[in-house]
Amino acid sequence: MIAIITGDIINSREGKVENWLNPLKEVLNYYGKEPTNWEIFRGDSFQLSITPEKALLAAIHIKSVIKQTKLQDVRIAIGIGEESYGSSKITESNGSAYVRSGDCFESLKKQTLAIKSSNEQFDQLFNIMLSLSLLTANNWSSTVAKAIKTAIENSDKNQKNLAKILHKSQSSISEALTRGGFEEIMHMNSYYQSQISEL
């Protein structure tokens, strides 16, 4: 079983392209190699192949990177299923995970992050959770987004260490993570990981 993340950048034409393109490439590189595991196509769309366990946190990670630009946001669909045909380029691979990711992406309206698997109950539950978490995440400031990105990339470090990395006070990091709903998002991710193994 694999997860395919399909996404695009909201307001991609605002400001300088490199302001969001370079950070996007960096975060995608964090999860695999281009073009086997990820590709950017049509200018501002991207696909990433990842293990289902890591998919939700990767989507949140990508959002935390893009939200730092102030002008852009990102729409992301996670499709979970099989890969029936693997190519050296992800955009040429195929299978139920790709189909679900594409279908889920096409059905994104106001919600900017959603998931589709073979289990409707699972999808319904997590899409409700995601819509609630987006009430906070869609309003992340660049400061909050940066704190969340750093916390995701340094999951073994405490707030004191994160403060050192970001050259901020521990209290300002704590406040940024609280404002961004980081702890609640991590609880949701832990629950997601426990449920995905049963799919």
Side-chain angles (χ1 to χ4, degrees):
M1 209 164 62
I2 63 161
I4 297 297
I5 289 176
T6 303
D8 74 355
I9 305 297
I10 298 168
N11 294 333
S12 62
R13 291 177 185 167
E14 302 285 320
K16 290 182 177 170
V17 169
E18 56 268 26
N19 289 353
W20 59 261
L21 184 58
N22 295 336
L24 176 62
K25 285 180 176 176
E26 244 170 71
V27 70
L28 292 173
N29 259 330
Y30 192 88
Y31 294 101
K33 294 199 163 31
E34 180 189 20
T36 316
N37 307 110
W38 65 268
E39 263 190 283
I40 294 170
F41 57 98
R42 286 205 308 251
D44 62 0
S45 299
F46 59 91
Q47 250 188 349
L48 168 68
S49 170
I50 197 167
T51 60
E53 292 74 24
K54 289 183 179 173
L56 182 57
L57 192 60
I60 292 159
H61 191 185
I62 292 166
K63 190 174 182 76
S64 72
V65 166
I66 299 302
K67 287 293 283 181
Q68 287 180 61
T69 63
K70 296 182 182 174
L71 294 172
Q72 280 77 33
D73 201 342
V74 63
R75 296 191 309 154
I76 292 176
I78 302 168
I80 295 164
E82 305 300 326
E83 180 176 80
S84 55
Y85 173 75
S87 166
S88 58
K89 292 178 74 167
I90 183 177
T91 46
E92 291 171 6
S93 298
N94 212 323
S96 59
Y98 293 86
V99 173
R100 286 182 191 130
S101 184
D103 287 349
C104 184
F105 186 76
E106 292 305 319
S107 67
L108 287 177
K109 298 279 186 296
K110 284 182 180 170
Q111 191 162 329
T112 55
L113 174 58
I115 192 162
K116 189 175 171 73
S117 69
S118 58
N119 184 324
E120 272 183 44
Q121 258 182 316
F122 173 92
D123 297 351
Q124 195 175 9
L125 174 67
F126 278 98
N127 285 324
I128 289 169
M129 283 191 205
L130 290 172
S131 67
L132 288 169
S133 67
L134 289 168
L135 293 173
T136 304
N138 284 343
N139 294 305
W140 285 343
S141 66
S142 56
T143 307
V144 167
K146 193 170 189 178
I148 287 174
K149 171 191 181 277
T150 309
I152 290 171
E153 291 177 2
N154 299 275
S155 56
D156 57 330
K157 294 188 168 52
N158 60 24
Q159 286 188 3
K160 200 172 172 184
N161 297 130
L162 295 177
K164 272 187 190 161
I165 293 167
L166 290 168
H167 308 293
K168 301 260 187 189
S169 67
Q170 190 180 336
S171 61
S172 69
I173 296 299
S174 173
E175 193 191 321
L177 293 176
T178 302
R179 272 208 317 269
F182 183 68
E183 201 177 317
E184 293 78 4
I185 285 169
M186 295 316 280
H187 285 321
M188 175 176 69
N189 187 56
S190 297
Y191 181 59
Y192 163 83
Q193 287 179 327
S194 73
Q195 295 303 299
I196 199 92
S197 58
E198 294 172 26
L199 266 189

